[in-house]
Amino acid sequence: MAKRLSSQLFVNRLSSFTNNEQLKRLFSPFGDVTEARMVVDRITQRPKGFGFVTYKSDVGAQKALKAMNGRMVDGRLIFVEVAQNQKQEDYTKS
């Protein structure tokens, strides 16, 4: 049985000036994005440079993973991988 791909992606090394709307626009050409969320510092309320993008389908997530991993965005090389639920929960608590 094939392992099911998650429809949520972890995006790392984004500019600290990237906001949720920009993240959603960046990933929307690959499928229907249901949520795009930058993780922010509790004290400064500034983005930490990473976030999560959730697609309506696994197909959109797979397309985005292949197209965006290792791509230059705003002069920064970003990395995209399948999100692990534990990882998201840990980051939102810090």
Side-chain angles (χ1 to χ4, degrees), residues 51-64:
F52 297 91
V53 177
T54 305
Y55 283 90
K56 191 172 187 175
S57 75
D58 296 348
V59 174
Q62 182 66 35
K63 286 180 187 177

Side-chain angles (χ1 to χ4, degrees), residues 4-83:
R4 186 186 145 141
L5 177 70
S6 172
S7 61
Q8 186 174 58
L9 301 175
F10 173 70
V11 186
N12 197 10
R13 293 186 41 98
L14 291 161
S15 166
S16 60
F17 297 104
T18 304
N19 63 36
N20 292 343
E21 186 58 38
Q22 291 168 323
L23 185 61
K24 184 173 184 172
R25 254 191 321 234
L26 186 62
F27 280 83
S28 63
F30 308 104
D32 188 14
V33 175
T34 58
E35 180 185 31
R37 184 177 52 83
M38 294 293 294
V39 176
V40 297
D41 184 274
R42 282 185 176 185
I43 297 169
T44 65
Q45 294 302 306
R46 292 192 62 203
K48 290 186 172 185
F50 61 90
F52 297 91
V53 177
T54 305
Y55 283 90
K56 191 172 187 175
S57 75
D58 296 348
V59 174
Q62 182 66 35
K63 286 180 187 177
L65 178 65
K66 287 181 179 178
M68 296 299 289
N69 188 35
R71 183 173 168 191
M72 293 292 288
V73 176
D74 295 329
R76 298 179 63 100
L77 181 65
I78 67 166
F79 296 103
V80 181
E81 60 187 68
V82 175

